Amino acid sequence: MLPGAALAMVLGQVWQPSAIGAVLAALVALCLIASANYTINEYLDAATDRFHPLKQARPGAQGRLDRRIVALQYLLLAAAGLGIAMLLGRPFLLTAWVLLGMGILYNVPPIRTKDRAYLDVLSESVNNPLRLLMGWFAIIPDALPPSSLILAYWFGGAFLMAMKRYSEYRRIGNPEMAGNYRRSFRFYTEDTLLLSSFFYALLASFLLGVFLVKYRIEYVLALPFFAALFTWYLAIALRSDSAAQAPEKLHRERRFMAFCALLGVVVAVLTFVELPFLEALMVPLRY
């Protein structure tokens, strides 16, 4: 969400101090709604988590969750998140509703998109551009961000999610057990998961390049850093006990996190530094 807010400030040239309060409120609303989605995710995955070597120790997998308390927690979190979202304008509220709805489509039968190959990755990763939009709408409620950026965020998230699936599949090491844990794994193989992640990475890179070149030519110098970011994450996902299986543990990859910080600095510098020679290089030659 935060990159969406930052881009809105840069592209929309919005620097009012009140924007900070709006971003903080948006962040709280997002966290509440995401927590509501994870509440039903944890409860509805309880039966299949018993087949996962690590998740089988969770309270849900051990049958220790009371569905009445789960339902109450979900409703309270959703209501609180939507209540704050109402204060941030109609576009933000609508996006919050869509994010909440995607949690239902992803987790709740009979649709439960997480059980369907490829749709599981694409429906989960659509939360990335929704979060981006929430950050953007917190700053600019009356305009949309560039479509190339929205799509790049979607397919970038699909790459990350596909690599998470790949790491989980390899970690389990047994196709039958993997299919019992996650229904979509019955239709995947290591090769199809790896190839699909490569496909998503190509789409994300192309769309990101379109955005970077179209909206600020200086950003083209950041492309090698983004390429290195995708490659490094791929290397992490290929490890036998990969942090890609649980992205919340990525902070343990200190060099990777340091590189992410460096990428942020590079983008920030290129936001304010003018390099006219790049504009000249992009002018087509005429004979």
Side-chain angles (χ1 to χ4, degrees):
M1 193 207 83
L2 294 178
L7 283 167
M9 291 182 184
V10 172
L11 297 181
Q13 298 182 351
V14 179
W15 304 100
Q16 294 91 339
S18 59
I20 297 176
V23 171
L24 290 176
L27 187 60
V28 173
L30 171 60
C31 289
L32 289 168
I33 292 170
S35 297
N37 285 342
Y38 277 111
T39 295
I40 57 173
N41 176 281
E42 188 75 9
Y43 180 74
L44 294 173
D45 283 359
T48 54
D49 281 349
R50 299 187 183 108
F51 296 97
H52 192 277
L54 300 178
K55 294 183 180 180
Q56 61 183 351
R58 291 181 173 180
Q62 295 179 2
R64 292 161 48 195
L65 296 181
D66 186 328
R67 65 180 180 180
R68 295 169 299 181
I69 297 178
V70 170
L72 178 61
Q73 177 174 301
Y74 173 80
L75 292 173
L76 290 175
L77 288 169
L82 293 173
I84 297 174
M86 291 178 63
L87 304 176
L88 296 168
R90 183 176 296 179
F92 186 94
L93 177 61
L94 177 61
T95 309
W97 270 110
V98 174
L99 181 62
L100 195 65
M102 288 305 303
I104 294 174
L105 291 176
Y106 184 71
N107 290 292
V108 179
I111 299 178
R112 195 169 160 82
T113 59
K114 74 184 305 176
D115 289 342
R116 307 173 190 274
Y118 304 109
L119 186 58
D120 61 336
V121 168
L122 291 171
S123 61
E124 169 68 5
S125 58
V126 79
N127 292 336
N128 276 31
L130 289 175
R131 294 181 181 118
L132 176 80
L133 285 170
M134 292 174 80
W136 178 278
F137 287 143
I139 304 298
I140 304 177
D142 55 355
L144 285 168
S147 58
S148 57
L149 179 62
I150 295 175
L151 292 172
Y153 230 62
W154 184 14
F155 288 112
F159 165 75
L160 299 178
M161 183 56 59
M163 291 311 305
K164 178 183 178 182
R165 295 281 188 270
Y166 175 80
S167 297
E168 287 180 328
Y169 193 89
R170 289 188 68 196
R171 174 70 172 78
I172 295 172
N174 182 316
E176 182 178 353
M177 185 178 293
N180 290 332
Y181 159 62
R182 191 181 293 280
R183 185 180 178 86
S184 62
F185 279 164
R186 299 176 186 178
F187 310 98
Y188 283 130
T189 64
E190 285 190 25
D191 288 346
T192 57
L193 282 166
L194 194 58
L195 289 171
S196 66
S197 69
F198 180 67
F199 175 75
Y200 300 139
L202 286 177
L203 284 176
S205 300
F206 173 77
L207 290 162
L208 181 63
V210 170
F211 166 73
L212 295 179
V213 173
K214 183 176 181 181
Y215 289 93
R216 184 166 176 81
I217 192 62
E218 284 78 10
Y219 285 155
V220 73
L221 298 180
L223 278 174
F225 292 88
F226 282 106
L229 186 73
F230 276 85
T231 306
W232 199 332
Y233 192 87
L234 175 62
I236 292 173
L238 290 174
R239 297 175 191 168
S240 57
D241 190 16
S242 171
Q245 297 177 50
E248 65 273 11
K249 296 181 180 179
L250 272 175
H251 67 276
R252 299 178 183 176
E253 299 286 341
R254 295 183 179 179
R255 289 187 297 173
F256 179 75
M257 298 306 296
F259 182 80
C260 291
L262 173 63
L263 174 58
V265 171
V266 169
V267 172
V269 170
L270 293 175
T271 298
F272 298 102
V273 174
E274 300 287 343
L275 299 173
F277 74 92
L278 288 175
E279 189 73 38
L281 289 175
M282 295 299 169
V283 176
L285 295 175
R286 296 181 179 179
Y287 298 97

